[in-house]
Amino acid sequence: AAGVIQSPRHLIKEKRETATLKCYPIPRHDTVYWYQQGPGQDPQFLISFYEKMQSDKGSIPDRFSAQQFSDYHSELNMSSLELGDSALYFCASRAEDRVYGYTFGSGTRLTVV
Amino acid sequence: SQQGEEDPQALSIQEGENATMNCSYKTSINNLQWYRQNSGRGLVHLILIRSNEREKHSGRLRVTLDTSKKSSSLLITASRAADTASYFCATDAGDYKLSFGAGTTVTVRA
């Protein structure tokens, strides 16, 4: 079965650079979520989209932005990267009927040096 | 964490034993979910229990939910080495996000 696809799997950037993370949800899932998980931390909600519109926003820095496109894939753009942005970034998708749990991608490990 | 605490923070058991971990949360929920995460890997959905359910089973997993106490427990029976992972509870309050607990790290010794 198709899963949530994230790319790239690993990314190394220098401070003050920009990074773009991509997420391809499960087909027919209309809601996409982004989470950030620092080392040894629980996942923290960043932002979500429903039907290509932002539906909720968490602790996302102003340096980050995201959008969901017409094909439902989503991109998380991160600018002026800081060392503290080093983390695992997960994307998850879910069908609106809420019958099942969220399906998470394998994550993108971002390292800022 | 956004929602509450999980306890214990870490658990070490012998293969074949049962592992129990607890999760508390703060707000009203639509459902509560448990996820497993192997070191540095993705989150795998294990089980979802709705707010009007009290207990649910899936294979070797048993989840209970007490909405009056705002708490849940996850029991893994007859543990295996492959169960070694971090386990997170996450609550869905009916809004557009999941709120995760701090996680319990389970080590199953062969």
Side-chain angles (χ1 to χ4, degrees), chain A residues 34-94:
Chain A
W34 286 96
Y35 286 83
Q36 176 192 57
Q37 186 179 28
Q41 304 294 312
D42 55 292
Q44 297 290 316
F45 170 72
L46 292 177
I47 195 166
S48 62
F49 293 88
Y50 169 64
E51 284 291 345
K52 294 157 278 184
M53 299 289 288
Q54 181 183 308
S55 52
D56 204 346
K57 201 170 182 180
S59 49
I60 182 170
D62 292 340
R63 299 176 290 107
F64 293 8
S65 65
Q67 57 182 323
Q68 187 178 29
F69 295 86
S70 57
D71 63 352
Y72 292 98
H73 95 272
S74 178
E75 293 184 4
L76 177 65
N77 298 294
M78 309 158 70
S79 62
S80 303
L81 287 169
E82 303 173 356
L83 296 178
D85 295 329
S86 296
L88 264 174
Y89 290 83
F90 289 108
C91 170
S93 73
R94 187 196 64 180

Side-chain angles (χ1 to χ4, degrees), chain A residues 95-107:
Chain A
E96 179 58 15
D97 61 13
R98 298 172 184 264
V99 172
Y100 301 106
Y102 294 46
T103 302
F104 281 80
S106 298

Side-chain angles (χ1 to χ4, degrees), chain B residues 12-36:
Chain B
S12 180
I13 56 175
Q14 200 73 30
E15 205 166 25
E17 292 181 336
N18 295 343
T20 301
M21 60 209 86
N22 304 294
C23 163
S24 63
Y25 57 92
K26 297 173 183 174
T27 62
S28 297
I29 62 171
N30 180 289
N31 64 71
L32 185 144
Q33 302 169 35
W34 285 90
Y35 287 82
R36 182 184 72 222

Side-chain angles (χ1 to χ4, degrees), chain B residues 47-60:
Chain B
I47 196 166
L48 179 154
I49 186 166
R50 288 185 171 69
S51 59
N52 61 353
E53 297 176 314
R54 292 295 166 260
E55 188 170 313
K56 201 162 183 178
H57 298 254
S58 176
R60 293 183 297 111

Side-chain angles (χ1 to χ4, degrees), chain B residues 67-80:
Chain B
T67 52
S68 66
K69 295 181 180 176
K70 290 187 166 58
S71 67
S72 173
S73 68
L74 172 67
L75 166 69
I76 305 173
T77 60
S79 63
R80 305 167 182 168

